[in-house]
């Protein structure tokens, strides 16, 4: 991938911008493979709430990473999409 290092840096920087709960949810779900049911139980919330939180965390990460890539590459969202970056 042509922009692999830029994308990795954008994602890493974007993760640091997320709140603690969002970062933790993403790490537990994506890295540790915990289910939404398990996350809900850990936080003492319904699985639907845990799912909404996870969707929100993913969206926030994507938006921040996309913004970082726009700056790094000097590109628009349309140009990023045409390059296959952060679809």
């Amino acid at each position: 991938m042509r922009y692999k290092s830029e994308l990795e840096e954008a994602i890493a920087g974007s993760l640091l911008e997320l709140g603690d709960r969002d970062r933790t949810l993403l790490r537990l779900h994506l890295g540790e493979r915990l289910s939404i049911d398990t996350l809900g139980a850990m936080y003492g919330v319904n699985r639907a709430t845990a799912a909404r939180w996870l969707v929100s965390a993913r969206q926030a990460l994507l938006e921040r990473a996309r913004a970082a890539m726009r700056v790094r590459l000097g590109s628009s969202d349309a140009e990023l999409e045409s390059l296959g970056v952060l679809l």
Side-chain angles (χ1 to χ4, degrees), residues 10-26 30 51-70 86:
I11 292 171
S14 298
L15 279 168
L16 294 175
E17 294 176 8
L18 293 178
D20 291 338
R21 185 184 71 192
D22 286 351
R23 217 176 18 257
T24 300
L25 284 168
L26 289 170
L30 299 173
R52 281 192 301 273
W53 286 354
L54 192 55
V55 167
S56 176
R58 285 180 176 169
Q59 187 63 36
L61 177 62
L62 179 62
E63 289 170 5
R64 284 175 170 79
R66 186 178 288 137
M69 288 298 289
R70 276 195 309 266
L86 295 175

